[in-house]
Amino acid sequence: QIADSVEPFLTAFFSKVRVFCAGGGEPAPGEVGPCHSVNLDVVRPMMQQTLQLTIQRLAYPDWFRQGDPDYEDDEQHIAFLEFRRSLTKIYKRIFLVDEQIGFMFIQASIAQLTQNLASVRPMEVEALLYLYTETGEIVKDVAQYLKANGALAVPFVTLVECEALVEVEHWLVQLALMDVYVRYSRIFAQLPELMPTYGNRVLRAFVGPRGVRSNDRRVVARACYMFARFIRTAKKEVVPFTADIYEAL
């Protein structure tokens, strides 16, 4: 209830911050601009604190029964999903206010995740992967940021370098990782050195024992669908692995 009440005000605040910042955006047609301005550095600490809390709050709580049809109409579950959507809106608003701080946050968070994966709860891993996928929905030119050393390429390479992530047993992490690979699949064409080095690891997420060969039917169905989407974008890069894929299936 608190989240539902506060979220509209936070979203409105972050949507207006850019206009108040010196050198920020122009007010919308028909709107009166601010009578003063502030430096973006003044509001950055507030945005950083909000971002730091986002992953913990986005993570599914232990009581949440994800994918259980018996709880689809449960009020507590519905309220949390609304809360999660509200936090996602706030994250996007902050990113639009200051793209640099958004990229720095996601890069630092993924680097920390891969370094301390064993001590991070699966639900928090899923939350961070979810935010990273959502980041690709915010920026206008994803391809531009997937070039070498690009703001979205750096965290992607960090993820594929972490072999332990593909081995995580939790089904929500497995699905979230597939979402990341599909969302940023065009990176393999832009950085051709990635697939020869990490191709088997990436493909294992789709066709391995935690993909289409999983014992969890929720993972199997999703893996089949997401693998087809992945192939559509990265077909040329995947062709050399045809024999490996056939053997895995």
Side-chain angles (χ1 to χ4, degrees):
Q1 292 176 343
I2 294 175
D4 289 341
S5 299
V6 172
E7 183 274 324
F9 295 100
L10 282 176
T11 299
F13 171 75
F14 285 121
S15 68
K16 300 293 184 183
V17 161
R18 186 164 47 180
V19 178
F20 280 94
C21 292
E26 296 295 327
E31 290 187 2
V32 178
C35 59
H36 68 281
S37 63
V38 297
N39 192 290
L40 189 57
D41 291 336
V42 174
V43 296
R44 275 188 174 136
M46 182 189 305
M47 293 190 290
Q48 289 173 332
Q49 289 180 331
T50 303
L51 288 173
Q52 289 168 0
L53 291 171
T54 301
I55 296 175
Q56 296 176 355
R57 298 294 183 263
L58 270 174
Y60 291 106
D62 293 336
W63 53 261
F64 195 90
R65 301 292 293 273
Q66 179 72 14
D68 190 331
D70 292 337
Y71 288 84
E72 288 181 354
D73 298 323
D74 178 73
E75 292 185 1
Q76 190 178 21
H77 283 67
I78 293 173
F80 177 78
L81 291 177
E82 288 293 332
F83 176 56
R84 186 172 160 109
R85 281 191 284 268
S86 297
L87 286 178
T88 304
K89 289 180 185 178
I90 292 172
Y91 171 75
K92 291 180 177 181
R93 289 294 184 182
I94 292 176
F95 204 98
L96 292 173
V97 170
D98 188 350
E99 192 175 78
Q100 181 181 1
I101 198 175
F103 281 133
M104 290 176 61
F105 166 75
I106 206 71
Q107 290 171 5
S109 297
I110 287 179
Q112 186 176 10
L113 168 68
T114 56
Q115 293 167 8
N116 305 284
L117 183 61
S119 61
V120 181
R121 295 190 306 118
M123 297 303 189
E124 292 185 6
V125 178
E126 186 276 339
L128 178 54
L129 294 177
Y130 165 76
L131 275 186
Y132 179 45
T133 302
E134 287 294 310
T135 304
E137 302 291 338
I138 304 171
V139 297
K140 294 181 179 179
D141 187 2
V142 173
Q144 180 67 27
Y145 294 104
L146 289 177
K147 294 180 179 179
N149 298 317
L152 289 174
V154 170
F156 187 90
V157 173
T158 302
L159 286 175
V160 296
E161 287 178 342
C162 182
E163 185 171 9
L165 188 58
V166 183
E167 306 299 330
V168 174
E169 294 291 345
H170 200 284
W171 69 279
L172 279 177
V173 175
Q174 295 160 7
L175 297 190
L177 190 58
M178 292 179 209
D179 287 340
V180 168
Y181 289 158
V182 170
R183 183 67 188 87
Y184 300 112
S185 56
R186 68 181 72 180
I187 195 175
F188 294 105
Q190 295 188 243
L191 302 179
E193 70 276 10
L194 284 182
M195 206 63 179
T197 305
Y198 303 109
N200 279 319
R201 184 177 302 171
V202 171
L203 292 172
R204 194 160 73 242
F206 294 102
V207 300
R210 293 165 188 82
V212 298
R213 293 173 54 207
S214 172
N215 294 324
D216 192 322
R217 60 184 182 183
R218 296 168 297 189
V219 174
V220 173
R222 186 67 175 173
C224 291
Y225 171 69
M226 296 302 280
F227 185 52
R229 289 186 58 190
F230 181 79
I231 291 295
R232 281 200 295 270
T233 305
K235 183 177 181 180
K236 181 180 178 181
E237 291 72 35
V238 171
V239 166
F241 296 88
T242 302
D244 297 316
I245 296 171
Y246 178 80
E247 184 177 350
L249 296 174

